[in-house]
Amino acid sequence: DADHLAFDGRGLRARRRALGLRQDEVAALAGVSTRSVHALEAGKATVLLDVVTAVSAALGGDVTLSAGADTAQIPPAPPR
């Protein structure tokens, strides 16, 4: 659908797992619901940008959006 930004949450899921965190732990760090983290990782079209940025920041990453891009992607965070 042209009205929605496609989001691939697999990068966040991989980063969360690499850090050994559960979805509820990430949700607490990001100040969002566990349901929001689950929806984000599943690529749901209804996830809000503030949720994307909060979860990404909690995992040590950032969000890059490009005008005209088909998919928003979260680059992997640098190793700690």
Side-chain angles (χ1 to χ4, degrees):
D1 181 321
D3 295 334
H4 292 89
L5 176 67
F7 180 79
D8 184 348
R10 291 176 294 184
L12 283 180
R13 179 181 293 130
R15 176 74 178 150
R16 175 181 60 78
R17 288 178 176 170
L19 292 172
L21 296 171
R22 297 184 316 262
Q23 287 182 338
D24 62 316
E25 293 171 320
V26 172
L29 289 170
V32 300
S33 70
T34 302
R35 180 177 284 185
S36 291
V37 174
H38 174 76
L40 179 58
E41 290 184 358
K44 301 289 183 189
T46 56
V47 176
L48 300 174
L49 184 57
D50 62 336
V51 172
V52 174
T53 56
V55 171
S56 181
L59 294 173
D62 57 14
V63 177
T64 302
L65 298 176
S66 298
D70 291 332
T71 304
Q73 296 187 2
I74 303 222
R80 292 184 181 196

